[in-house]
């Protein structure tokens, strides 16, 4: 089973969805805004993905944080911020075969689904 996590209006999510559809791969889309983000879900991601990798530092939500907040980020504070601001989670996160992958590049997805 394939699950793609993100927000629907994200260009990278649109590219990942298009790639999966072009390769006839069925997937479930978990919309952070509609389906929610829990600390349990983020901790599940964090078992394989580094919390620092999950924080989208290029987005406006992160850039609007105070310098003090950015400087004092730890796993606990970052995950709490990601629950509060799901748009700050780097996208997409892909779940496949009990593994998690972050980001989208066609070559990366080719490697993931090469079987």
């Amino acid at each position: 089973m394939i699950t793609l996590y993100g927000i629907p209006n994200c260009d990278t999510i649109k590219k990942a969805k298009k790639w999966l559809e072009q390769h006839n791969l069925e997937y479930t889309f978990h919309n952070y805004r509609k389906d929610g983000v829990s600390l349990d879900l983020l901790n599940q991601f964090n078992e394989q993905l580094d919390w620092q990798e999950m924080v989208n530092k290029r987005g406006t939500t992160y850039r609007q944080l105070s310098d003090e907040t950015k400087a004092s980020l730890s796993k606990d504070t970052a995950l709490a911020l990601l629950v509060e601001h799901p748009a700050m989670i780097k996208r997409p996160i892909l779940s496949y075969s009990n593994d998690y992958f972050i980001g989208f590049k066609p070559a990366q997805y080719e490697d993931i689904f090469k079987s």
Side-chain angles (χ1 to χ4, degrees):
M1 182 170 167
I2 301 168
T3 304
L4 192 66
Y5 296 86
I7 55 177
N9 61 338
C10 169
D11 288 340
T12 309
I13 292 289
K14 291 175 186 176
K15 290 175 190 175
K17 284 179 161 184
K18 185 177 179 180
W19 191 96
L20 292 168
E21 290 161 5
Q22 287 175 337
H23 290 82
N24 298 313
L25 294 166
E26 290 186 31
Y27 65 92
T28 301
F29 179 65
H30 181 103
N31 181 342
Y32 292 141
R33 294 208 171 113
K34 188 171 118 186
D35 303 320
V37 176
S38 68
L39 191 54
D40 286 342
L41 178 63
L42 294 175
N43 278 316
Q44 192 175 331
F45 293 162
N46 190 232
E47 288 176 15
Q48 294 182 29
L49 303 171
D50 187 317
W51 66 267
Q52 293 171 316
E53 191 181 4
M54 290 191 293
V55 176
N56 178 8
K57 294 181 178 177
R58 295 172 59 193
T60 53
T61 307
Y62 178 83
R63 290 194 315 255
Q64 290 174 348
L65 295 175
S66 72
D67 290 340
E68 180 182 326
T69 300
K70 291 177 194 174
S72 65
L73 275 185
S74 67
K75 175 187 170 193
D76 293 336
T77 59
L79 295 183
L81 276 170
L82 296 179
V83 169
E84 189 179 339
H85 304 286
M88 210 167 76
I89 303 171
K90 195 176 282 185
R91 303 176 293 269
I93 291 180
L94 176 83
S95 170
Y96 174 66
S97 192
N98 296 316
D99 287 319
Y100 293 100
F101 307 90
I102 198 161
F104 170 74
K105 296 224 177 336
Q108 173 194 23
Y109 276 36
E110 291 285 346
D111 285 345
I112 294 167
F113 298 107
K114 64 183 166 192
S115 55

